[in-house]
Amino acid sequence: MRHATQTVSTRDSVPHRRSTGEKALTTISMSLVQGSAEHKAAIRAKVWATLRAVARPDSRFHYDFSRFIADFAGADVACDRLLALDCFQHSRTVFIAPDNCLGHLRERALQAGLCVLVTTYGICRGFWLLDPATIAPALFRYAATLDGMEHVGRPVSLQDLVDLQPAIGPIGLMVTGTGAINTRGVRFGKGHGFFDLEWAMLFARGLVRPHTVVAAVVHDCQLLDDDLRPEPFDTVCDLVITPTRVLHVGPVQKPTCGILWDRLQPNMLADIPPLQELQALEAQVVSA
């Protein structure tokens, strides 16, 4: 009887020792990540110190700008500037982030007859659709608040949004507040990346495209000339609207990578239902 011969791979049996070059590349990569994080933190700190003078405190988080995107003096004026633009006028459905500075915009969008897609704080309860056809006009202002939207709107999954496309049309515009943004449309929010997740999830399901207009509403003190360094998943804005100006950034490169699952912050997958849904949908495609 012949004995089976087991071939032992040196690669399997001996721990892999990284070469000097590999170690150097790893060190450089880690340094770049750390440097980028420190750069972003420095930008936020500079802006937040100035923003305090014009910001309106949050009912829960006071002036802790790491926890929320602040409302500010003149936010309604900035929102009205956006309302007059073609990208808003030609949309049937708009995504408006759940930022404090955008409550006026959500209300005005409903008054204009647009469907408004919004997420809950931290996306913990996913996407909600506000359809003015199903909400009494007297409740539009209430619907535009984060508490009110869950009483008069309806929760929608990513697949629901795909199925609703014939009725509500494509998402023609995505609007966000942010912590800081430069004149090239590179934005830094609170540091959690929620808007980038929202873009990536909607993009992965074909609900937004690279040509979908992305706009940021900010105070003038949040608009910088600094050379902000975007990550591959950062959603760069086409428009920056302040109380005093509308800045058309020009052609920008938006992320088309979808969700980078290995880059998610701890607990995001467990805490954000649409991420769980998307992961399951993508797994179905792989197994098909």
Side-chain angles (χ1 to χ4, degrees):
M1 179 178 177
R2 295 176 57 188
H3 295 281
T5 303
Q6 182 179 12
T7 302
V8 180
S9 167
T10 304
R11 181 176 178 178
D12 294 333
S13 59
V14 179
H16 174 63
R17 295 181 179 178
R18 292 182 298 169
S19 67
T20 302
E22 288 176 307
K23 291 179 181 178
L25 286 173
T26 300
T27 301
I28 291 172
S29 178
M30 292 176 65
S31 298
L32 288 173
V33 170
Q34 182 179 1
S36 177
E38 291 174 351
H39 178 69
K40 290 180 179 181
I43 293 292
R44 291 190 189 100
K46 180 174 72 172
V47 170
W48 289 349
T50 307
L51 181 62
R52 175 68 181 261
V54 295
R56 298 185 175 111
D58 184 78
S59 60
R60 291 170 295 173
F61 303 127
H62 193 46
Y63 286 105
D64 183 358
F65 299 137
S66 69
R67 306 291 297 276
F68 73 106
I69 298 295
D71 193 8
F72 53 83
D76 54 344
V77 176
C79 289
D80 286 342
R81 289 182 180 276
L82 176 55
L83 292 167
L85 299 179
D86 287 345
C87 59
F88 179 87
Q89 297 288 332
H90 295 162
S91 294
R92 292 169 57 191
T93 297
V94 294
F95 173 89
I96 304 177
D99 298 328
N100 290 15
C101 59
L102 300 178
H104 177 71
L105 183 64
R106 291 190 290 270
E107 180 184 3
R108 290 294 304 277
L110 291 172
Q111 291 172 346
L114 276 64
C115 288
V116 175
L117 185 64
V118 62
T119 50
T120 59
Y121 181 82
I123 327 180
C124 290
R125 290 183 299 283
F127 291 91
W128 287 69
L129 184 66
L130 305 176
D131 185 347
T134 64
I135 302 172
L139 294 177
F140 284 168
R141 177 166 295 185
Y142 179 58
T145 67
L146 299 192
D147 291 331
M149 73 178 190
E150 295 192 57
H151 287 91
V152 298
R154 63 163 169 145
V156 285
S157 67
L158 293 170
Q159 188 57 50
D160 288 337
L161 290 171
V162 172
D163 296 339
L164 283 168
Q165 288 297 284
I168 66 175
I171 298 170
L173 172 67
M174 290 188 68
V175 187
T176 184
T178 189
I181 191 166
N182 73 358
T183 53
R184 289 165 294 285
V186 181
R187 36 163 287 283
F188 295 149
K190 304 183 297 294
H192 304 302
F194 291 129
F195 185 70
D196 297 317
L197 284 180
E198 289 153 356
W199 167 272
M201 289 187 288
L202 294 172
F203 183 87
R205 299 305 295 159
L207 296 162
V208 294
R209 301 291 187 185
H211 63 265
T212 302
V213 176
V214 176
V217 173
V218 296
H219 191 272
D220 290 276
C221 73
Q222 295 172 283
L223 179 57
L224 312 172
D225 287 325
D226 294 60
D227 184 21
L228 305 182
R229 307 166 196 162
E231 300 283 358
F233 49 79
D234 282 335
T235 309
V236 181
C237 295
D238 302 276
L239 297 167
V240 183
I241 299 98
T242 79
T244 64
R245 64 188 292 198
V246 174
L247 175 63
H248 294 264
V249 176
V252 299
Q253 187 72 33
K254 299 192 184 79
T256 58
C257 54
I259 296 295
L260 300 177
W261 297 102
D262 61 337
R263 299 289 295 272
L264 292 178
Q265 295 180 23
N267 300 322
M268 272 190 165
L269 183 58
D271 293 343
I272 299 177
L275 278 177
Q276 300 165 21
E277 179 193 5
L278 181 60
Q279 187 180 62
L281 289 169
E282 292 186 353
Q284 290 175 9
V285 172
V286 171
S287 62

